[in-house]
């Protein structure tokens, strides 16, 4: 289905995977990338930083969207969360499908460049509990600040109302439903993991 979408950013079909922190966006993006024969994945955590958790729109537009729009590769520096600075650069080829995953991937500034928007449909409290468990007690203070920042972000710039598909994870796979933003009839399909 994703390969059949019209290009949205030069020759590239940018497909966003959005949802609350801890909802399984990275896992789904990795799975989709494998099913697409190794599609590149842009992790928005690589472009965010401690000072501007959601202030990465300009970086994505300048370093990813603009080069893809011209048919060239994207190149961005990767943020090192332990050293608190941007480090080495990463290049993303203008592949037929490039996945963009992270909280806010379906934000207003990026939507005009997206071919499709997927929302990981996991309740906020459940997703955050999963994220806290994954990251452990050492990051509890970070999570306290993150939750407030995420609430403010989605209150000002919600993604879910614009998604093409809702993706609900289950132990046996995913259930994919049409989203409030369009996406066609309910597929109600379960994909094995």
């Amino acid at each position: 289905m994703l390969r059949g979408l019209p290009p949205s950013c030069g020759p590239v079909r940018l497909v966003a995977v959005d949802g609350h922190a801890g909802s399984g966006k990275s896992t789904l993006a990795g799975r989709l990338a494998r099913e697409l024969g190794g599609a590149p994945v842009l992790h928005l955590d690589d472009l965010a930083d401690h000072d501007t958790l959601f202030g990465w729109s300009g970086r994505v537009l300048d370093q990813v969207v603009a080069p893809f729009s011209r048919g060239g590769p994207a190149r961005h520096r990767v943020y090192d969360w332990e050293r608190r600075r941007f480090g080495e650069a990463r290049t993303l080829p203008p592949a037929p499908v490039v996945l963009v995953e992270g909280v806010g991937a379906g934000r207003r500034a990026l939507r005009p460049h997206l071919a499709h928007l997927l929302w990981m449909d996991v309740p906020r409290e459940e997703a955050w509990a999963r994220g806290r468990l994954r990251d452990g007690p050492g990051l509890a203070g970070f999570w306290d600040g993150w939750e407030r920042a995420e609430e403010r972000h989605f209150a000002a710039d919600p993604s879910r109302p614009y998604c093409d598909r809702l993706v609900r994870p289950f132990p046996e796979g995913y259930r994919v439903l049409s989203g409030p933003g369009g996406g066609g009839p309910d597929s109600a399909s379960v994909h094995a993991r």
Side-chain angles (χ1 to χ4, degrees):
M1 175 188 85
L2 298 177
R3 284 188 190 105
L5 295 168
S8 59
C9 188
V12 175
R13 292 150 187 85
L14 280 181
V15 176
V17 181
D18 202 341
H20 298 292
S23 63
K25 297 174 302 301
S26 297
T27 300
L28 177 63
R31 166 129 190 209
L32 289 172
R34 286 188 300 279
E35 289 181 7
L36 291 165
V41 180
L42 173 65
H43 301 281
L44 293 175
D45 285 349
D46 290 346
L47 285 117
D49 62 63
H50 281 89
D51 298 323
T52 55
L53 295 174
F54 290 97
W56 43 258
S57 289
R59 290 183 195 125
V60 173
L61 293 172
D62 294 343
Q63 298 173 32
V64 178
V65 170
F68 280 168
S69 295
R70 295 187 298 268
R75 187 168 168 82
H76 68 88
R77 293 179 60 209
V78 176
Y79 188 69
D80 185 323
W81 287 89
E82 291 179 14
R83 293 188 174 133
R84 294 179 163 255
R85 63 180 173 82
F86 283 93
E88 65 183 50
R90 178 174 180 225
T91 300
L92 295 169
V97 176
V98 175
L99 300 156
V100 180
E101 74 83 17
V103 177
R107 64 174 39 181
R108 185 181 305 114
L110 297 186
R111 279 195 298 270
H113 309 285
L114 298 178
H116 210 67
L117 172 55
L118 304 170
W119 176 267
M120 291 300 296
D121 204 33
V122 176
R124 179 179 67 188
E125 292 77 17
E126 180 184 331
W128 287 350
R130 288 169 51 178
R132 282 179 178 270
L133 182 63
R134 174 195 66 207
D135 293 345
L139 291 177
F142 176 80
W143 268 94
D144 292 341
W146 172 266
E147 289 173 1
R148 289 189 299 274
E150 185 180 306
E151 282 181 328
R152 285 191 303 271
H153 168 72
F154 282 133
D157 192 355
S159 302
R160 190 181 188 279
Y162 303 96
C163 75
D164 297 296
R165 300 276 183 214
L166 297 169
V167 180
R168 295 183 180 153
F170 289 94
E172 68 278 4
Y174 297 96
R175 185 173 190 138
V176 182
L177 304 167
S178 66
D186 282 351
S187 63
S189 58
V190 177
H191 305 281
R193 288 187 188 209

